[in-house]
Amino acid sequence: MTPSMRQAKIVELARQQGEVSVEELVAAFDVTPQTIRKDLNVLCDRGALKRTHGGAMHPSGVENVEYEARRQIAPAEKRAIGKAAAALIPDHASLFINIGTTTEAVGQALSEHRGLMVITNNINVANHLRVVPSTEVVIAGGVVRPSDGGIVGEAAVDFIRQFKVDFAVIGVSAIDPDGALLDFDFREVKVAQAIIANARHVIVVADQTKFTRTAPVRIGHLSQAHSFITDICRVDSIREVCADAGIALIETGAA
């Protein structure tokens, strides 16, 4: 297991339990206390966890990890997922990209494409793609969320509904074993639902840490997707959802 994947799992354990100790993490991951302390220092420096005596705690059970901290969780896996998603999208296509660090990786992987029309409520994606030759970037109106540069609210939903595009790239905060797609902000969920409803081919992108996370707001169901790209899927029920719904399950591996 790579350090980034172990750290992602530590964050999820802290989210589920509220707090984790060095002792229990040593036993869970079969590594030295020094390794765990280093992991906790990294995660606390990123704002993903807060230090406690003998361990660390998650900042909140109903809020997402800060955006910059999420960027550092499984970065190699996200880059590989981004490249795989970009490979599904031809030149001269129209597409939606929603908020998230994995969808941001997709946006970065589209740099070599030509003739794209990209409609997004993700300022980070827009800022990256705006300099790509022959790519037209259309950004939704609405309320800019300070935490991550996402644009949310009814104005963004109404804007998205004006389009019917070839592809939608959707990132999520969590995936339940039954295939439910989950997020933390009901305003962002409304935008994601509008994106799904107005695309001909829906691509869900999520690394394996999303299988162990929880979030309170339902976006929809994995069966609404046409393609699901992850680094590795070890959840049999998710594989069954993909098989039953005819979803293309693409696993990229760790890097």
Side-chain angles (χ1 to χ4, degrees):
M1 182 184 297
T2 65
S4 65
M5 292 306 299
R6 185 176 60 249
Q7 290 162 14
K9 290 181 181 295
I10 290 171
V11 171
E12 292 314 311
L13 281 173
R15 181 188 297 282
Q16 293 165 13
Q17 301 173 191
E19 187 172 343
V20 290
S21 69
V22 171
E23 183 179 356
E24 70 175 293
L25 294 174
V26 166
F29 295 103
D30 193 24
V31 294
T32 66
Q34 291 79 8
T35 297
I36 292 299
R37 290 191 185 98
K38 182 178 179 181
D39 286 338
L40 294 180
N41 286 337
V42 169
L43 292 168
C44 290
D45 287 345
R46 292 174 183 165
L49 297 178
K50 292 182 179 179
R51 265 292 189 186
T52 63
H53 180 69
M57 64 182 291
H58 195 272
S60 170
V62 295
E63 295 180 359
N64 208 351
V65 180
E66 291 184 3
Y67 196 79
E68 288 302 321
R70 298 199 325 261
R71 273 184 170 145
Q72 302 304 317
I73 296 174
E77 290 78 4
K78 290 174 181 176
R79 284 193 297 271
I81 291 168
K83 290 177 182 177
L88 297 180
I89 298 168
D91 289 343
H92 307 290
S94 58
L95 65 148
F96 293 125
I97 301 179
N98 81 328
I99 300 167
T101 54
T102 309
T103 55
E104 185 178 344
V106 178
Q108 292 169 350
L110 290 169
S111 296
E112 300 303 316
H113 282 56
R114 292 295 178 265
L116 295 180
M117 179 182 185
V118 179
I119 303 150
T120 185
N121 65 327
N122 186 330
I123 284 179
N124 303 293
V125 166
N127 194 47
H128 179 78
L129 289 177
R130 67 182 173 81
V131 297
V132 176
S134 79
T135 292
E136 181 180 7
V137 178
V138 182
I139 194 161
V143 178
V144 178
R145 197 163 57 189
S147 61
D148 59 5
I151 300 172
V152 296
E154 287 301 319
V157 172
D158 291 342
F159 182 83
I160 293 296
R161 286 174 176 160
Q162 297 179 67
F163 299 90
K164 184 74 174 183
V165 301
D166 300 319
F167 295 90
V169 179
I170 294 289
V172 299
S173 293
I175 302 177
D176 253 17
D178 67 358
L181 306 176
L182 305 170
D183 213 313
F184 290 91
D185 186 340
F186 72 92
R187 299 172 302 169
E188 159 58 10
V189 163
K190 292 288 188 183
V191 179
Q193 289 170 341
I195 286 174
I196 290 170
N198 290 284
R200 298 180 183 91
H201 186 112
V202 176
I203 304 169
V204 173
V205 292
D207 67 80
Q208 64 175 298
T209 65
K210 304 299 172 65
F211 299 131
T212 57
R213 298 185 73 185
T214 59
V217 190
R218 182 186 175 98
I219 299 170
H221 195 268
L222 187 57
S223 60
Q224 295 172 268
H226 300 85
S227 302
F228 173 42
I229 306 176
T230 185
D231 53 323
I232 187 166
C233 179
R234 295 190 174 96
V235 183
D236 289 341
S237 59
I238 295 296
R239 289 187 173 277
E240 290 173 8
V241 168
C242 291
D244 291 345
I247 301 164
L249 172 60
I250 301 169
E251 296 173 273
T252 63

